[in-house]
């Protein structure tokens, strides 16, 4: 396997229209989609898009993530004299009545690099027998004049339970502020492709792909930071992941060209211009997870 390193990102984009927001849509088991499914727990409050985003106009079955506002020019938090959250002075919070949006547009084609979830490429062992969060993002340079908003974690809780919000600081301002440790992916735009497809398969000792343990449409959501990310909770429904080696594959439509990998850690490859793979190891009692 060869690892492709991101040395530069080249993007050729043709912006053609502005899209209206898609409604919340259902999602397969284990998938963290754009909004909660209808029924218990659906508050009708969602995360606001806070990172500039390109929606690729292509064939595919992946549902568009739920957007709280129309896809178009950026709209700052506090528009229409919206008040900040009374529990978090000076901040507009996610999953509340507050609404804002980063710049968003529809494109005919895009070039992007793939960024695998940190848990998949980090030094902490991936353990079998429990749910594994599989995430991937498609990243591209921010267009001239595009605006996003810096969202902070406001409570000391597990990420999925914490409150997030923004004081209106733009991502460009945050990147220029030496007092803010802005993660590198947050300096880039996100790309959503409706043709994204996810496969997880077993690997033998000779890296030969074996039994497929999961395959399906890759569904994306707007996460707490306001970024679009593809996510799947492997093992949340059905059999728990077993110890062994696995290959995670993300395929995108021909309208999106993958030009590299953002994070060079991990055994990752681009077999072709529309496919990315990452090999991982699940252990029963610790050890490195990257092959």
């Amino acid at each position: 396997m060869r690892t492709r390193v991101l040395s530069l990102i080249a993007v050729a984009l043709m912006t053609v229209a502005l899209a209206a927001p898609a409604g919340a849509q259902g999602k397969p088991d284990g998938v963290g989609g754009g909004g909660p499914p209808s029924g218990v727990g659906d508050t009708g409050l969602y995360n606001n898009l806070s990172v500039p985003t390109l929606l690729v106009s292509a064939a595919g079955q992946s549902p568009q993530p739920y957007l709280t506002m129309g896809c178009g020019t950026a709209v700052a938090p506090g528009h229409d004299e919206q008040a900040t959250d009374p529990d978090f002075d000076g901040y507009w919070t996610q999953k509340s009545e507050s609404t804002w949006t980063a710049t968003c547009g529809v494109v005919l084609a895009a070039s992007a690099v793939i960024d695998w979830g940190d848990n998949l490429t980090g030094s902490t062992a991936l353990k079998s027998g429990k749910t594994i969060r599989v995430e991937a993002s498609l990243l591209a340079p921010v267009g001239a004049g595009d605006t996003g908003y810096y969202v902070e974690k406001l409570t000391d809780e597990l990420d999925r339970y914490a409150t997030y919000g923004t004081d209106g600081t733009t991502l460009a301002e945050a990147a220029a502020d030496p007092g803010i440790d802005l993660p590198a992916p947050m300096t880039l735009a996100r790309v959503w492709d409706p043709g994204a497809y996810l496969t997880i398969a077993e690997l033998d000792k000779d890296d030969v792909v074996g039994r497929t343990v999961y395959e399906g449409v890759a569904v994306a959501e707007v996460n707490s930071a306001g970024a679009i990310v593809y996510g799947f909770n492997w093992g949340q429904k059905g059999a728990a992941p077993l110890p062994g080696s696995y290959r995670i594959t993300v395929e995108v439509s021909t309208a999106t060209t993958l030009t590299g990998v953002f994070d060079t850690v991990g055994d990752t490859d681009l077999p072709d211009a529309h496919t990315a793979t990452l090999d991982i190891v699940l252990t029963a009692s610790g050890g490195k997870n990257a092959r």
Side-chain angles (χ1 to χ4, degrees), residues 4-6 8-10 111-114 139 257-261 270 273:
R4 296 203 179 187
V5 180
L6 170 64
L8 74 96
I9 308 172
S111 295
V113 297
I114 191 165
L139 311 179
T257 300
L258 299 177
T259 61
V261 179
L270 299 181

Side-chain angles (χ1 to χ4, degrees), residues 3-223:
T3 300
R4 296 203 179 187
V5 180
L6 170 64
S7 57
L8 74 96
I9 308 172
V11 174
L13 302 171
M14 292 183 291
T15 303
V16 295
L18 299 178
Q25 304 189 44
K27 54 185 185 290
D29 288 344
V31 171
S38 60
V40 177
D42 187 349
T43 64
L45 301 174
Y46 306 99
N47 290 320
N48 294 288
L49 188 69
S50 306
V51 178
T53 298
L54 303 170
L55 305 179
V56 176
S57 178
Q61 298 181 359
S62 178
Q64 181 181 311
Y66 186 89
L67 303 180
T68 61
M69 301 189 71
C71 182
T73 57
V75 177
H79 69 93
D80 293 339
E81 300 184 353
Q82 290 179 337
T84 56
D85 193 313
D87 295 325
F88 300 93
D89 186 39
Y91 284 85
W92 294 271
T93 51
Q94 295 280 42
K95 294 185 178 178
S96 72
E97 298 293 341
S98 297
T99 55
W100 66 86
T101 185
T103 306
C104 173
V106 175
V107 296
L108 290 176
S111 295
V113 297
I114 191 165
D115 183 29
W116 298 103
D118 291 342
N119 67 310
L120 300 176
T121 59
S123 59
T124 301
L126 290 169
K127 299 288 186 67
S128 62
K130 59 178 62 178
T131 300
I132 303 294
R133 179 65 176 172
V134 177
E135 285 192 355
S137 300
L138 302 179
L139 311 179
V142 175
D146 287 355
T147 300
Y149 299 96
Y150 175 52
V151 174
E152 303 174 59
K153 184 179 180 181
L154 302 177
T155 57
D156 186 19
E157 300 172 275
L158 291 175
D159 288 352
R160 64 180 178 271
Y161 300 123
T163 299
Y164 291 77
T166 180
D167 63 1
T169 298
T170 67
L171 287 174
E173 291 168 341
D177 188 338
I180 296 178
D181 184 16
L182 188 68
M186 297 301 288
T187 65
L188 297 169
R190 293 300 192 274
V191 175
W192 172 76
D193 185 308
Y197 197 81
L198 172 68
T199 305
I200 305 173
E202 295 175 342
L203 281 181
D204 69 13
K205 60 183 178 62
D206 297 317
D207 286 344
V208 175
V209 176
R211 181 177 68 95
T212 296
V213 298
Y214 175 80
E215 63 175 332
V217 171
V219 179
E221 66 180 334
V222 178
N223 67 11

Side-chain angles (χ1 to χ4, degrees), residues 258-278:
L258 299 177
T259 61
V261 179
F262 184 79
D263 193 336
T264 61
V265 179
D267 192 355
T268 184
D269 189 30
L270 299 181
D272 59 55
H274 311 290
T275 306
T277 63
L278 175 69

